[in-house]
Each structure stands twice: as structure tokens, then as C-alpha cells.
Amino acid sequence: MTPTHQFSLSTQIRLIMKTPVLTAIFLVSIHLTSAKICEIPLPEGLEECYKRVQEENVDSYVGSLYSWHCEHLVVGTYNTSDDEFLYERQEYIKQLYEEAFGNSSRTKRQTPSPCVRREYRMLSLFERVRLHNAINTLKRDTSVRPNKYDAIASIHQGTNNRIAHGGPGFLGWHRVYLLVYETALRQVDPNICIPYWDSTRDNELPNPYSSSIWSNEYMGTPRGPVIAGPFAGWRLPNGIQLTRNTGVDGQLLSVTNVQNILSRRR
């Protein structure tokens, strides 16, 4: 034993005498901090939805989509029992749909010019600010409850999740959905065109999470409550602050992925 680890006889005696006291304190602490584990029942409807998923013969990926569907279906943002609220949103979406597909009362003179799609990061600062302003205008517009932005977002919830995801209708459903959303934006600013995100660029980065798209000039905060960027401080209709979990699950498209998809004929 080295000199630094040697103890005098008196020190050893004091340590031995303290041991029972320390042991007693430890045992008392265990008693005081003990807790009972209780089972918390699942929210109404969630357990039933999970059981339906378990009974279906699906692979793990599709099963995870169904579970996600269950959670979003039950933990809904809106109170669908409010018939007036629901009717108000439906009428707004119907009006956007009719305008998007040329069935509205708007004249040709009022019709915005055709869109030219560009990658989000290829927009000029002026174009990007106009896009962000239009989105925030929809969020603030409560002429349709809870606001126009969330009224459109409500289409992407509930049973529609199951229709729109995990099947052959994915591309077609979202094409119409984005066109309806773009129509709402163009009612605010006729020169707005929804840009696209070329995620193959970010897939090549060592850490896609550090992409410039999550900088304050573009989308802002990538993880946790959104406190930076053009949508900082946004809240959901239920009052919860907008939160992101970027990079937690899934992966970005690669150039190879895109080529494989485009090469399919059936």
C-alpha cells in the first residue's frame, strides 16, 4: 500500500464506528424514497386502435405507421364534436379545392400566374421572406377557426393519415393537399409558389442535421421547441408550443433512391 492510502489506527477506528451510522441513514433513505408503480390506463380509444393494429398481418414498418396513426387519431388537436367548427373548416377547404381546380367563381383576370417550382434554398431573400410572411399570415388569420393554417393542417390528421400514408395513394394525395395549401398562400400573395426541398443534397452531408435548411434564415430550430427562425413561437391549436424532432427517425432520400423510383415502370 502506498503512503497516500495508509490510515492511522485512530482513523481506522473512527471509520469503523461511523459505518453503522451511515448504514442506518442509507436504510432510512431507502424507506423514505420508496415509491409504488401504478398502471396508468391508455387514453380512451388508443388501446382499441392498438388492438386493431395487432390483429392485422403487416410488417414492422407498416405496423409502426399504424401505431403513429393511432396516436394522432386519439390525441387529436381539434374537438370534432363542435359541428359548427368542423363545418367552418370544411367549407374553407372546399372553397380552396374548387379554386385550385378551376371550379370557383374567380375570373381568369383574378387567376394567379402559373408556378415555377424552385428548391427552397434557391429562393432569393426577398422571395423567401414573402413565402414566410404568407405562411404566418395564414397562421394569424382566425376568420376560419382556429386559424387558416391549422384548418388546412387538420386535413392531414385522423383517418386521413391512414389513407395518405403507407400505400399507393401517397403521392397523389399529397399532390392535391399541397395544391390546396398553395392556393391558400396565393390568396395572400399571388406570386407565391411552394418550393421543393431537395433532400439528396443534405443526405450527402456527414451530419444532415447540421444542414443550412435548419438555420434561422430558413426553417429555424430543428429539435425541441421552435424558438428561432420564421416560425419561432408558433403554438398548436391546443396551446402547446410547436416542437420538432428532426433526425430522430427515418432517413433522407439519396440520389440512388430517386433513380430507383424513377426507373420503375410498374
Side-chain angles (χ1 to χ4, degrees), residues 204-263:
E204 301 299 325
L205 296 174
N207 180 15
Y209 173 73
S210 63
S211 168
S212 62
I213 203 167
W214 302 114
S215 64
N216 295 347
E217 290 73 23
Y218 292 98
M219 296 301 293
T221 309
R223 287 184 185 173
V226 179
I227 58 175
F231 313 113
W234 268 33
R235 291 192 174 275
L236 306 182
N238 58 10
I240 298 175
Q241 187 170 357
L242 176 63
T243 302
R244 293 179 179 144
N245 291 314
T246 305
V248 174
D249 192 16
Q251 65 183 60
L252 299 177
L253 285 173
S254 66
V255 174
T256 302
N257 293 148
V258 176
Q259 291 174 343
N260 288 340
I261 293 171
L262 295 178
S263 65

Side-chain angles (χ1 to χ4, degrees), residues 42 50 53 77 147 150 152 164 244:
L42 290 172
Y50 279 156
V53 173
T77 305
N147 58 72
D150 286 304
I152 298 170
R244 293 179 179 144

Side-chain angles (χ1 to χ4, degrees), residues 47-167:
E47 184 174 4
E48 180 183 349
C49 188
Y50 279 156
K51 287 180 179 178
R52 289 201 305 270
V53 173
Q54 291 174 349
E55 293 171 358
E56 297 191 31
N57 184 21
V58 296
D59 59 34
S60 59
Y61 174 72
V62 176
S64 67
L65 286 177
Y66 280 175
S67 296
W68 179 81
H69 156 76
C70 289
E71 294 163 11
H72 282 69
L73 179 63
V74 175
V75 189
T77 305
Y78 304 100
N79 179 12
T80 54
S81 63
D82 187 343
D83 293 337
E84 182 182 355
F85 192 0
L86 182 61
Y87 175 78
E88 193 175 272
R89 294 203 318 271
Q90 288 176 337
E91 286 299 301
Y92 175 57
I93 301 302
K94 179 182 177 182
Q95 175 261 317
L96 291 175
Y97 180 86
E98 291 178 347
E99 183 174 327
F101 289 92
N103 297 322
S104 72
S105 58
R106 289 172 66 101
T107 64
K108 291 184 178 180
R109 188 175 181 180
Q110 295 172 308
T111 303
S113 57
C115 267
V116 177
R117 304 267 174 237
R118 296 164 63 191
E119 212 277 336
Y120 181 43
R121 287 160 289 192
M122 297 303 292
L123 298 178
S124 67
L125 174 61
F126 178 69
E127 291 170 327
R128 195 166 66 245
V129 169
R130 291 181 70 165
L131 172 65
H132 295 163
N133 286 343
I135 295 172
N136 278 296
T137 297
L138 291 182
K139 182 70 172 177
R140 292 191 299 266
D141 190 338
T142 57
S143 61
V144 177
R145 293 174 293 173
N147 58 72
K148 286 187 173 181
Y149 180 91
D150 286 304
I152 298 170
S154 69
I155 309 174
H156 205 264
Q157 296 181 351
T159 54
N160 281 337
N161 275 328
R162 200 164 183 173
I163 299 171
H165 300 95

Side-chain angles (χ1 to χ4, degrees), residues 16-43:
I16 293 172
M17 293 178 66
K18 287 182 178 179
T19 300
V21 177
L22 294 174
T23 303
I25 294 174
F26 176 70
L27 292 174
V28 170
S29 299
I30 291 178
H31 176 72
L32 293 176
T33 58
S34 62
K36 182 179 180 181
I37 299 176
C38 301
E39 181 179 355
I40 300 177
L42 290 172

